[in-house]
């Protein structure tokens, strides 16, 4: 029968080994040759766009890379789907945008801010998502195929 | 209670109850918004309600864990807390940071990173607060007469939870890296070190409630937390399938996260077996309900429902849909909500001297809250599966699908009302116990 000492060794040993493997895999997957996060195209405008995305908690309604709140549409590939002009118009709108009755906060962004957010979305759209991009955005897929 | 300083736990629990009610209120704001009743949009838009709802969850659970530690550690270490005054300072500062953050969310003052919305300056205050808490707990333990496995596992969970908060504070320009390290906090908390805290509290409660030998219970505690880390650490990979990192995580995350239910299954079997084995029948039946309930519901919510969408082949379709909300609700309720309510139910009569052990109100609270939460989980599940098929299989537009599934949110609100009735009854019971008193010292358990 298992003793308390053996149980403790199982806990400590198992934790240490899996944690080391976890660190190893993190280093491996983020290393130069294996990186697929589109980091080479990270411009100042994209970074500004990300800041706007965060400071307004857009993820509190929308999802991006499948992460967010499921209340408003997924925005990965949104530019392919809707086009730049449409997205900018929403961001710059002074009154709440409410297609189909569900309201978005009226952010009334400047042209420059809206362009940064669009640059951010475009950058997101180029990340290699292991196939998720094709599932999450069937409309974009149709557009690409046509 | 055996030590005067344990009384401080009561106020952490009371703070928890207050936040729980607020959390539920914001949940209703979101539920109504989803069926088109968004009259509060101008003051509480959905993203504010969402941030408040999830952050209050984290804070009420943390406050519950802290209260649990302030109650359990003196008894396990056989020593008064090193400073009761500092413990109160810690509670007040925790409340101050929490209130500032929640008010800030209504004025666009946040970071917009799911679950970690607290703005960076307040993050530093959280760190100071948690350091103070850990200082009190660890020093009490260090100066104590004995060091039990239960106390060590609980303290270790709290210490690691504090350390793991730090990766979430590193700034990144890339959304991918931001997300990657955000999961170090969120996943390694809820599917890692929080389970140590849960295991520690569960073990303490089982020792007290069943009378089974401490050595036996603590041996199995090690096995359970061992299984947790063995599966949970590499199981982090299930968040990395589709966010822009290497395919290696599809394999590693798939295999190890599929093993995660084992830890919860072990926990449920362990609790039920210890209960059967125990010869001592503690009169505090309500505490027993919540304790066994936590072990069983966490297996269903965190273990089974987590497994339901953890394989990469399934997650490809369910990632970013309401299926996640289904799993999230029952998992948090079962694993963490119920264990906090269990330790409160156990400790309240001991702190206040009022032995309201088996009131019908208390039993109603347990059943209504659980039935309501299971109903909510089913509503989210049906909505989520319908969303997956309509949106991702048939390619319908997001909002068209939302209209189709809105009926499930009417069901959600009805079930949430049952759940809330249960929680309110629980809080009435809490209130009826009165406040802690020195007269309850050394009372028989």
């Amino acid at each position: 029968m298992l003793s308390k000492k053996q149980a403790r060794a199982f806990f400590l040993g198992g934790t240490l080994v899996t944690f080391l493997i976890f660190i190893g895999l993190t280093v491996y997957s983020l290393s130069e040759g294996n990186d697929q996060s589109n980091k080479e195209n990270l411009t100042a405008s994209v970074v500004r766009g990300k800041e706007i995305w965060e400071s307004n908690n857009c993820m509190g309604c929308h999802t991006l890379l499948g992460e967010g709140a499921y209340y408003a549409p997924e925005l990965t590939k949104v530019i392919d789907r809707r086009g730049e002009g449409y997205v900018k118009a929403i961001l710059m709108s002074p009154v709440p945008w409410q297609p189909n009755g569900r309201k978005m906060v009226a952010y009334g962004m400047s042209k420059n801010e809206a362009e940064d957010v669009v640059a951010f979305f475009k950058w997101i759209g180029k990340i290699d998502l292991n196939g998720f991009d094709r599932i999450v955005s069937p409309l974009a897929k149709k557009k690409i195929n046509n | 209670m055996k030590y005067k300083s344990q009384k401080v736990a009561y106020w952490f629990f009371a703070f928890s109850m207050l936040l729980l009610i607020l959390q539920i209120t914001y949940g209703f704001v979101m539920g109504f918004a989803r069926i088109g009743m968004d009259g509060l949009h101008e003051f509480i838009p959905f993203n504010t309600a969402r941030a408040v709802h999830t952050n209050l969850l984290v804070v009420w659970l943390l406050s519950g864990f802290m209260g649990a530690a302030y109650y359990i550690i003196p008894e396990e270490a056989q020593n008064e807390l090193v400073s009761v005054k500092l413990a109160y300072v810690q509670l007040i500062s925790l409340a101050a940071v929490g209130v500032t953050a929640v008010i800030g969310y209504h004025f666009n003052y946040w970071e917009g990173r799911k679950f970690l919305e607290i703005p960076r300056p307040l993050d530093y205050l959280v760190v100071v607060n948690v350091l103070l808490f850990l200082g009190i707990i660890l020093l009490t333990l260090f100066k104590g007469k004995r060091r039990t496995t239960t106390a060590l596992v609980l303290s270790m969970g709290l210490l690691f939870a504090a350390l793991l908060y730090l990766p979430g504070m590193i700034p990144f320009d890339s959304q991918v890296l931001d997300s990657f390290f955000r999961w170090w906090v969120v996943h390694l908390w809820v599917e890692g070190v929080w389970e140590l805290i849960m295991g520690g509290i569960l073990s303490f409660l089982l020792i007290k409630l069943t009378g089974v030998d401490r050595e036996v219970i603590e041996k199995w505690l090690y096995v359970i937390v061992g299984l947790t880390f063995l599966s949970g650490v590499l199981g982090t990979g299930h968040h990395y399938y589709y966010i822009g990192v290497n395919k290696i995580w599809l394999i590693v995350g798939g295999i190890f996260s599929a093993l995660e239910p084992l830890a919860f299954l072990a926990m449920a079997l362990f609790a039920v077996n210890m209960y059967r084995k125990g010869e001592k029948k503690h009169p505090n039946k309500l505490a027993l309900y919540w304790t066994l309930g936590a072990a069983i519901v966490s297996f269903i919510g965190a273990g089974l429902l987590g497994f339901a969408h953890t394989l990469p082949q399934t997650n490809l379709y369910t990632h970013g849909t309401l299926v996640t909300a289904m799993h999230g609700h029952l998992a948090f309720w079962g694993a963490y909500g119920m264990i906090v309510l269990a330790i409160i139910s156990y400790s309240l009569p001991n702190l206040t001297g009022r032995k309201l052990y088996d009131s019908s109100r208390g039993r109603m609270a347990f059943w209504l809250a659980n039935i309501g939460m299971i109903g909510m989980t089913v509503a989210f599940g049906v909505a989520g599966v319908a969303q997956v098929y309509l949106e991702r299989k048939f390619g319908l537009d997001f909002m068209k699908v939302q209209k189709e599934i809105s009926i499930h949110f009417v069901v959600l609100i009805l079930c949430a009302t049952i759940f809330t009735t249960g929680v309110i009854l629980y809080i009435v019971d809490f209130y009826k116990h009165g406040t802690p008193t020195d007269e309850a010292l050394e009372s028989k358990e």
Side-chain angles (χ1 to χ4, degrees), chain B residues 264-328:
Chain B
F264 285 103
L265 177 64
M267 194 146 3
L269 290 176
F270 160 71
V272 172
N273 275 329
M274 291 304 130
Y275 165 65
R276 288 206 177 132
K277 218 174 158 180
E279 286 170 4
K280 175 172 148 193
K281 291 285 174 245
H282 195 284
N284 193 342
K285 288 276 176 298
L286 289 175
L288 193 66
Y289 271 41
W290 287 105
T291 305
L292 293 181
I296 293 165
V297 179
S298 66
F299 168 61
I300 301 169
L304 287 183
L305 293 183
F307 180 75
H309 63 134
T310 201
L311 294 178
Q313 297 87 334
T314 318
N315 197 255
L316 182 63
Y317 292 93
T318 59
H319 179 51
T321 67
L322 289 160
V323 170
T324 315
M326 160 200 76
H327 158 60

Side-chain angles (χ1 to χ4, degrees), chain A residues 8-141:
Chain A
R8 186 172 52 209
F10 165 71
F11 163 57
L12 293 174
T15 304
L16 186 69
V17 170
T18 48
F19 195 71
L20 289 176
I21 297 174
F22 182 61
I23 299 285
L25 284 173
T26 297
V27 173
Y28 169 83
S29 64
L30 300 181
S31 63
E32 221 39 60
N34 299 315
D35 185 84
Q36 56 189 56
S37 67
N38 191 22
K39 68 175 178 192
E40 56 282 4
N41 294 318
L42 207 55
T43 61
S45 172
V46 173
V47 175
R48 281 198 302 274
K50 177 175 178 280
E51 275 161 18
I52 295 172
W53 169 263
E54 282 178 358
S55 62
N56 292 304
N57 192 19
C58 305
M59 220 187 227
C61 294
H62 290 277
T63 47
L64 189 71
L65 308 179
E67 295 181 341
Y70 334 118
Y71 184 70
E74 166 70 51
L75 296 177
T76 307
K77 298 273 183 194
V78 66
I79 305 294
D80 290 348
R81 212 161 60 227
R82 295 289 194 184
E84 232 178 285
Y86 182 89
V87 174
K88 269 198 221 162
I90 296 175
L91 293 172
M92 293 165 69
S93 166
V95 290
W97 187 262
Q98 44 177 328
N100 299 297
R102 194 169 275 187
K103 290 193 196 90
M104 173 168 157
V105 175
Y107 288 106
M109 288 183 196
S110 70
K111 197 167 170 251
N112 286 344
E113 285 171 329
E115 273 167 4
D116 288 338
V117 177
V118 166
F120 175 61
F121 287 149
K122 279 184 177 167
W123 176 79
I124 289 276
K126 296 264 160 28
I127 298 172
D128 176 356
L129 295 179
N130 296 334
F132 179 64
D133 42 338
R134 288 194 300 275
I135 299 294
V136 78
S137 189
L139 295 171
K141 184 181 160 192

Side-chain angles (χ1 to χ4, degrees), chain B residues 212-231:
Chain B
V212 172
D213 184 44
R214 172 184 288 277
E215 287 301 300
V216 177
I217 287 185
E218 290 182 339
K219 175 175 83 180
W220 290 109
L221 175 63
Y222 271 136
V223 174
I224 288 163
V225 293
L227 282 173
T228 299
F229 277 137
L230 205 60
S231 57

Side-chain angles (χ1 to χ4, degrees), chain B residues 97 111 118-131 165-166 169-171:
Chain B
V97 174
E111 254 184 23
I118 293 186
R120 214 53 63 100
L122 291 182
D123 271 344
Y124 294 106
L125 292 179
V126 172
V127 171
V128 174
N129 185 275
V130 172
L131 283 178
Y165 191 65
L166 303 177
M169 291 172 65
I170 310 169

Side-chain angles (χ1 to χ4, degrees), chain B residues 34-45:
Chain B
R34 280 190 179 273
I35 56 169
M37 297 167 80
D38 59 352
L40 289 172
H41 174 81
E42 219 166 292
F43 315 101
I44 313 175

